[in-house]
Amino acid sequence: QVQLVESGGGLVQAGDSLRLSCAVSGRTFSIYAMGWFRQGPGKEREFVVALSWSGSITGYADSAKGRFTISRDNAKNIVYLQMNSLKPEDTAIYSCAARLGGDISYDPAHYDYWGQGTQVTVSS
């Protein structure tokens, strides 16, 4: 199996930055891609960013472009989500996910393993 543990969430003001971490363990050799998703209050889960395990391919939701960056520490098996210029509409539970398939996907149904999530709250 693959285990994912998120951390780094918190309460911040609009315009602030946060870096979320996703520690990946288990059968990491089977992972093709990692993704970050979020679910705000009263909303459906939505795609944020994705990264191939090799780090060579990335994908961003329109809401994340120019503000959020996904990256991986290859030595530590940690995937990061750097979030800058945070807005109140970014408030959500952020979850990381691992996909075993052979492409980048923006559909949460295509991901095989999920972390518990970490809360990000952005005040006005």
Side-chain angles (χ1 to χ4, degrees), residues 53-108:
W53 192 241
S54 67
S56 62
I57 304 172
T58 58
Y60 290 83
D62 288 341
S63 61
K65 291 179 180 177
R67 298 190 300 127
F68 294 2
T69 303
I70 187 171
S71 62
R72 178 196 170 197
D73 185 323
N74 294 329
K76 299 180 179 180
N77 283 337
I78 298 175
V79 178
Y80 299 102
L81 178 62
Q82 178 67 46
M83 304 187 294
N84 299 324
S85 301
L86 284 163
K87 306 173 182 179
E89 51 263 44
D90 295 319
T91 295
I93 297 174
Y94 285 73
S95 300
C96 65
R99 172 169 166 78
L100 305 184
D103 60 5
I104 294 291
S105 178
Y106 310 147
D107 186 348

